[in-house]
Amino acid sequence: MIDPVIFEFQLLGFNFALRWYGVLIMLAVLVGTWITSRELGRRGENPEIAWDALIIVLIAGVTGARLWYVLNATLGGSRYYLDDPVRILAITEGGLHIFGGFLAGGLAAYIYARRKQLDFLLLLDSAAPALLIGQALARPANFINQELYGPPTDLPWGIPIDAEHRIGPWQDLAQYPLESTRFHPTFAYEMIWNLAAGGLLLWISRRYGDKLRPGALFAAWLVLAGLGRFLIEAFRPDQPRIPGTGLSYTRLFAGLMALAGFVWLLVRYRLQSQQTAGAQR
């Protein structure tokens, strides 16, 4: 397996480490910002807006991702952060949830757009493909960290998981031997889904750009991102469940995302068709 730490050193008594997780996230952020800037330029806006907004959106996104992760774990019954709240700040230990990043980053982007008098829906449409592609580029970090995997499988693309990273019943090495047990790479399923969905949104924006209503591409992102995560969550036993149900909080939110995007598209285009029909009478 790949060592999660690329290199580490000590300075003034403090230990610093460069991790693949951080490197891949930054790569995802930079590629996503580049795609967004290109999409803004194609829509007649200044591409530099994406880079100017990067710092505030990134800080808000990381903060939101961490807080969502902590809340998700706590709702699932963990007292890890309640007993030692200082650990909420220890993001180097891992623990970022993409949905929290989307919400907080989106709020920061909205505030930025208002201050710069930029059409927020145009910004959302420009960022929609980038969100999917950027998220996909960061997913290999989950393989390196041996996390976010699914149940055991006999499929040829199953991956090995070390004993220290096993969860639940799979910690029983007598029943699930290290040498022969392989697991679903659910992070890879989501990576493939997101790359395909992001590519689809880019194609739609170019093929039907003049016919798309403002916000339609972002609504499509809600549908595709939400549906993909909803389906993949069925293979994610690590996610905290809503008490009394087999449904995780993340899967519920993903389903609501997809539903909201579908309703958004339905309402926008039904209203448009009604207005067109009324004008032709």
Side-chain angles (χ1 to χ4, degrees):
M1 302 299 290
I2 301 174
D3 190 336
V5 179
I6 302 174
F7 67 84
E8 55 185 331
F9 61 93
Q10 283 194 340
L11 181 64
L12 301 176
F14 294 95
N15 189 61
F16 296 90
L18 181 64
R19 301 175 182 271
W20 281 111
Y21 190 85
V23 169
L24 290 173
I25 286 180
M26 284 310 304
L27 173 65
V29 168
L30 292 174
V31 172
T33 305
W34 177 75
I35 293 173
T36 303
S37 70
R38 299 268 298 183
E39 291 300 293
L40 281 170
R42 207 170 55 81
R43 290 170 170 80
E45 290 291 342
N46 181 3
E48 294 302 315
I49 289 173
W51 297 104
D52 292 342
L54 176 59
I55 298 300
I56 183 175
V57 172
L58 180 60
I59 292 174
V62 171
T63 302
R66 180 59 173 174
L67 293 178
W68 186 293
Y69 177 88
V70 171
L71 177 62
N72 195 43
T74 303
L75 288 174
S78 172
R79 294 195 55 85
Y80 186 75
Y81 299 105
L82 292 176
D83 294 339
D84 190 3
V86 175
R87 288 196 174 274
I88 295 174
L89 303 176
I91 62 173
T92 56
E93 296 179 357
L96 299 175
H97 199 296
I98 192 64
F99 285 169
F102 287 153
L103 281 176
L107 177 60
Y110 172 75
I111 294 172
Y112 181 86
R114 286 291 300 270
R115 289 181 176 177
K116 297 295 182 179
Q117 297 183 333
L118 173 69
D119 184 345
F120 184 53
L121 289 181
L122 185 147
L123 180 59
L124 289 179
D125 285 340
S126 300
L131 292 173
L132 287 162
I133 295 172
Q135 187 182 358
L137 293 177
R139 280 301 174 200
N142 301 134
F143 172 73
I144 296 172
N145 288 351
Q146 297 192 61
E147 60 189 4
L148 309 190
Y149 54 87
T153 179
D154 293 326
L155 293 171
W157 55 80
I159 60 171
I161 299 295
D162 292 341
E164 62 183 295
H165 295 103
R166 296 282 185 92
I167 60 175
W170 309 323
Q171 294 174 319
D172 184 354
L173 301 184
Q175 185 177 357
Y176 301 99
L178 288 174
E179 299 77 12
S180 58
T181 307
R182 297 294 182 266
F183 296 85
H184 278 285
T186 50
F187 55 83
Y189 300 159
E190 188 170 7
M191 180 179 70
I192 294 169
W193 176 281
N194 286 350
L195 285 174
L200 176 62
L201 291 187
L202 286 175
W203 179 79
I204 290 174
S205 69
R206 284 158 173 73
R207 179 67 176 81
Y208 302 103
D210 56 337
K211 300 178 181 178
L212 292 175
R213 303 281 291 176
L217 211 63
F218 179 73
W221 171 81
L222 285 171
V223 173
L224 292 171
L227 178 61
R229 189 61 179 262
F230 182 85
L231 296 174
I232 292 166
E233 277 290 309
F235 294 88
R236 290 280 304 276
D238 61 308
Q239 292 296 291
R241 264 46 179 181
I242 300 172
T245 76
L247 186 68
S248 70
Y249 292 99
T250 301
R251 198 176 193 203
L252 173 63
F253 188 81
L256 293 175
M257 275 178 61
L259 180 62
F262 177 77
V263 171
W264 186 339
L265 288 171
L266 185 66
V267 170
R268 290 302 293 268
Y269 282 94
R270 175 172 290 182
L271 286 175
Q272 182 184 18
S273 63
Q274 290 175 348
Q275 291 171 354
T276 302
Q280 292 175 347
R281 290 175 184 171

